Amino acid sequence: MNFYIEKIIVSGAGKTDSIVELSNGINIIYGPSNTGKTYIVKCIDYMFGSDKEPIDISTGYQFVKIIVKTKNGKLTMSRKIGENKIELSSTDKNISSGKYNTKASRNNYHKTINSIWLSLIGINEMHLIISNENFKKQILSWRTFSHMFILTETKIISEYSTFLSGHDTSNTATISSLIFLLSGKDYAESETKDSKEIKDAKKKAVKEYINKELFRLSERNQELLAQEKEAINTDIELEVEEIMSKIAEHERQINESIDENQKILAQLHINNEALSECNMLLNRYDELTTQYVADLKRLSFIIDGEVNFSEHPLAQCPFCDSKIDVKNSHNYIDAAKSEYKKIKLQAKDLEKASQSLCEEKSALEQDIKILIQKKKSTEELVETKLKPQLQILKERLVEYKEMIERRKEIAILKKFSDQKTADIIDNESDDEGELKFKVKEHLEYSFINDLNSSISSFLEDCKYDNLLSVIFDKSSMDIVVNGRKKGSNGKGYNAYFNSVVAIVLSRYMKEKAEYSPNFLVLV
């Protein structure tokens, strides 16, 4: 049990409430004609969202209220006659109290009474169903399929199928809703197709667009062909290959020159360090030579003084003017002479070393000069010859590549033009062969077969006279009994067959459908 209507109340100011109490299961309401039985069905339908007022307000009755028992509580719904709002009071934790619109709508879906009724059978989210052959969509609503389970006094005797609403324009939507209840499939992802007028307008727009594209392509093609005539008549691929080879050779030479330059710089660094060392040593040699010269002069002065003093050994005291007897020290003179010779030899060796160092310095300076010149020549080769030539080659390569791209673009433009021309032809021929949504084709064979069997068994159980065959005709969505369509019978038989189909469908939905209203009213 998903839900059942426990009570129906019609009230008005100064009027005694009219109340009908129902129980879970089968409820049979009977009585003489014109005593209000039909009003019960009308009130239920009104609370389902119908626009048809169930009672003339001139009678003084203004409100319709129903109490619905659910799995988790009760819903009290109240609607003032003539208004499109339903006041809902809920003790069911899954359903919120508040005011709900009677019209099914995509906007603010969960504030419509449609969402409440659908949620009671497990459909908690909004779904769209296909409503015509062009895949147009509409919202799934309770009233899309409720006529299958509420057979009013006019509906029950109708020659028209109980599955259908009686309006041909809504048949696709009705069957789509049935398919959704059976399987949960809504086909909402299907693409909407356009009417003939819209399709013709779109074709015209597409044709105009393609023609504009063809004109634009032709202008570009003409521009490219003009540039192609100015281009040299040569084998571009071969030229590009040769230029690439020359570029590679020039880049190799530049790289070799750069490597050579780096080696020269490294050698220059070594030679400059060696030259700095030579200069430092020469400065030291000069200082040492100066020291040697000073030492030699000092020793020579000492030796000369000693020699001269030995010739005049007597001396006079500068103070007392008395004579002084001076004794010579031959060892001291000998030592000075020996030191003088030693320094003389060292000075000579230093002179030779200094001369050798000067020669080394000169050689280094010459090498540095040669390396600098070589470096300059290498740089000039790279900057004034190799790089300019490489730039020219690259510019030529760009020109040739542009020529190649231009020829490719011409080929692509031709291909595009051919495709656009084919698109125009396809656009013109794309007509009546378009895919249509045939809703009845989506009814499962198992459903039709089970319906046939169940209706046949039901009629047998009812002892239907001379029952030979029962066929559910998908084209009319109705039964054919013993080869005769339902419409060939009178109202009594129509009411009988319609009731059988409604009961069998209700049972089938309860047992096998994804979502079952589990609700049936026969008047």
Side-chain angles (χ1 to χ4, degrees):
M1 185 275 294
N2 294 319
F3 72 92
Y4 73 90
I5 298 173
E6 191 174 68
K7 190 179 291 187
I8 304 169
I9 305 166
V10 179
S11 61
K15 303 293 290 186
T16 302
D17 290 352
S18 180
I19 302 173
V20 175
E21 295 186 2
L22 304 171
S23 60
N24 184 22
I26 297 175
N27 292 270
I28 299 175
I29 298 173
Y30 62 93
S33 297
N34 204 29
T35 56
K37 298 187 298 299
T38 304
Y39 284 140
I40 296 172
V41 179
K42 288 182 178 181
C43 286
I44 293 172
D45 197 31
Y46 196 58
M47 299 308 286
F48 284 164
S50 172
D51 289 332
K52 293 181 180 179
E53 297 177 0
I55 299 171
D56 190 340
I57 58 174
S58 64
T59 61
Y61 287 98
Q62 296 175 301
F63 294 93
V64 177
K65 180 187 292 186
I66 61 172
I67 298 174
V68 179
K69 183 73 173 66
T70 70
K71 290 180 179 180
N72 302 305
K74 287 186 179 183
L75 307 178
T76 301
M77 302 181 187
S78 178
R79 181 179 181 184
K80 187 175 182 179
I81 295 172
E83 293 188 356
N84 58 1
K85 294 280 186 180
I86 292 178
E87 186 77 34
L88 187 149
S89 176
S90 172
T91 63
D92 188 325
K93 62 182 180 179
N94 297 319
I95 297 174
S96 301
S97 299
K99 285 188 177 182
Y100 289 81
N101 291 320
T102 57
K103 291 286 186 182
S105 173
R106 300 188 194 187
N107 298 325
N108 206 13
Y109 170 79
H110 290 289
K111 295 303 292 181
T112 63
I113 202 65
N114 175 58
S115 70
I116 301 299
W117 289 115
L118 290 179
S119 68
L120 290 175
I121 62 172
I123 305 173
N124 296 312
E125 299 298 330
M126 184 181 75
H127 289 272
L128 300 178
I129 56 173
I130 307 299
S131 64
N132 65 17
E133 289 186 337
N134 294 322
F135 293 83
K136 184 179 178 181
K137 301 177 186 69
Q138 72 174 51
I139 191 172
L140 173 70
S141 72
W142 181 268
R143 291 186 55 74
T144 314
F145 56 80
S146 62
H147 63 271
M148 300 181 197
F149 307 101
I150 300 180
L151 274 64
T152 62
E153 58 186 357
T154 55
K155 176 74 173 176
I156 203 167
I157 63 173
S158 173
E159 298 177 5
Y160 211 69
S161 168
T162 56
F163 285 88
L164 305 178
S165 65
H167 305 286
D168 291 341
T169 55
S170 62
N171 285 346
T172 300
T174 298
I175 299 173
S176 292
S177 67
L178 175 63
I179 291 172
F180 179 79
L181 293 175
L182 291 169
S183 65
K185 296 178 181 178
D186 57 16
Y187 303 97
E189 299 301 321
S190 303
E191 184 180 351
T192 302
K193 306 300 178 183
D194 298 320
S195 65
K196 187 177 185 304
E197 292 77 13
I198 294 175
K199 283 189 282 187
D200 289 342
K202 283 187 175 181
K203 283 183 181 180
K204 183 180 179 182
V206 169
K207 185 177 180 180
E208 289 177 356
Y209 169 75
I210 293 174
N211 282 329
K212 285 180 180 179
E213 284 293 293
L214 285 171
F215 180 73
R216 185 183 64 81
L217 293 175
S218 68
E219 284 189 327
R220 178 59 179 163
N221 191 60
Q222 187 176 3
E223 179 185 341
L224 293 172
L225 289 174
Q227 294 175 4
E228 188 68 12
K229 287 179 181 179
E230 296 175 1
I232 57 174
N233 187 15
T234 184
D235 188 342
I236 296 178
E237 284 76 9
L238 182 60
E239 283 291 323
V240 168
E241 188 177 342
E242 290 179 0
I243 289 174
M244 292 292 289
S245 177
K246 289 179 181 179
I247 287 174
E249 177 61 25
H250 276 68
E251 288 178 342
R252 183 189 65 77
Q253 291 181 23
I254 289 173
N255 290 332
E256 286 180 354
S257 297
I258 292 171
D259 291 342
E260 181 65 23
N261 213 22
Q262 289 176 345
K263 290 177 182 178
I264 291 171
L265 287 172
Q267 189 60 48
L268 274 171
H269 179 70
I270 293 170
N271 288 0
N272 281 324
E273 285 189 343
L275 183 61
S276 297
E277 189 176 349
C278 283
N279 287 328
M280 180 187 67
L281 288 173
L282 284 172
N283 287 335
R284 290 181 180 178
Y285 286 174
D286 288 343
E287 291 175 359
L288 193 56
T289 299
T290 302
Q291 182 64 43
Y292 283 166
V293 169
D295 288 345
L296 288 172
K297 284 182 179 181
R298 177 177 57 78
L299 290 171
S300 179
F301 177 77
I302 292 170
I303 292 169
D304 289 342
E306 288 295 330
V307 170
N308 291 329
F309 186 75
S310 64
E311 293 177 358
H312 307 282
L314 295 177
Q316 194 172 11
C317 178
F319 299 103
C320 64
D321 201 28
S322 63
K323 291 183 181 181
I324 300 172
D325 188 10
V326 179
K327 295 182 179 181
N328 285 329
S329 178
H330 297 287
N331 289 336
Y332 182 77
I333 295 172
D334 290 341
K337 287 181 178 180
S338 177
E339 182 68 18
Y340 182 87
K341 287 180 181 180
K342 182 180 176 182
I343 291 173
K344 193 72 174 175
L345 288 172
Q346 287 176 340
K348 192 173 183 180
D349 290 340
L350 183 62
E351 184 181 357
K352 288 180 181 179
S354 180
Q355 185 178 355
S356 176
L357 195 58
C358 286
E359 290 174 356
E360 184 180 345
K361 176 185 175 183
S362 178
L364 283 171
E365 288 175 341
Q366 185 63 30
D367 287 346
I368 289 172
K369 186 177 179 181
I370 292 170
L371 287 171
I372 290 173
Q373 185 59 41
K374 193 173 182 181
K375 177 177 175 292
K376 185 178 179 182
S377 299
T378 303
E379 289 174 349
E380 286 180 354
L381 174 65
V382 172
E383 296 298 328
T384 62
K385 184 178 180 181
L386 293 177
K387 283 189 176 180
Q389 289 178 353
L390 181 62
Q391 184 61 31
I392 292 170
L393 288 170
K394 286 183 176 180
E395 289 173 357
R396 286 176 60 193
L397 181 63
V398 170
E399 290 176 3
Y400 285 138
K401 284 186 175 179
E402 286 177 354
M403 292 171 64
I404 291 172
E405 292 301 319
R406 187 162 57 240
R407 291 179 183 180
K408 286 181 179 178
E409 188 177 352
I410 290 172
I412 291 171
L413 288 175
K414 178 65 169 62
K415 186 177 180 180
F416 277 2
S417 297
D418 292 344
Q419 183 61 51
K420 295 294 182 186
T421 303
D423 287 344
I424 285 184
I425 296 172
D426 290 343
N427 184 59
E428 291 294 336
S429 60
D430 181 21
D431 204 357
E432 298 306 320
E434 256 191 90
L435 179 66
K436 298 285 187 181
F437 183 74
K438 304 296 183 183
V439 66
K440 294 175 184 177
E441 294 178 1
H442 294 276
L443 284 168
E444 299 269 344
Y445 170 77
S446 59
F447 168 68
I448 303 298
N449 188 53
D450 289 349
L451 209 61
N452 270 335
S453 301
S454 298
I455 293 171
S456 180
S457 297
F458 194 96
L459 290 174
E460 287 176 357
D461 292 341
C462 292
K463 307 299 181 183
Y464 183 83
D465 188 37
N466 192 29
L467 181 65
L468 296 176
S469 66
V470 177
I471 297 174
F472 184 81
D473 182 11
K474 203 159 63 168
S475 62
S476 63
M477 292 296 292
D478 216 338
I479 57 173
V480 177
V481 180
N482 292 340
R484 295 182 64 187
K485 293 182 179 181
K486 185 185 72 178
S488 62
N489 299 291
K491 292 180 180 179
Y493 272 93
N494 286 341
Y496 176 67
F497 287 137
N498 285 336
S499 298
V500 169
V501 171
I503 293 169
V504 169
L505 175 62
S506 182
R507 289 179 177 177
Y508 181 89
M509 298 289 284
K510 182 179 179 181
E511 293 174 3
K512 297 185 177 181
E514 188 77 18
Y515 305 105
S516 173
N518 199 23
F519 179 86
L520 180 62
V521 176
L522 302 176
V523 179

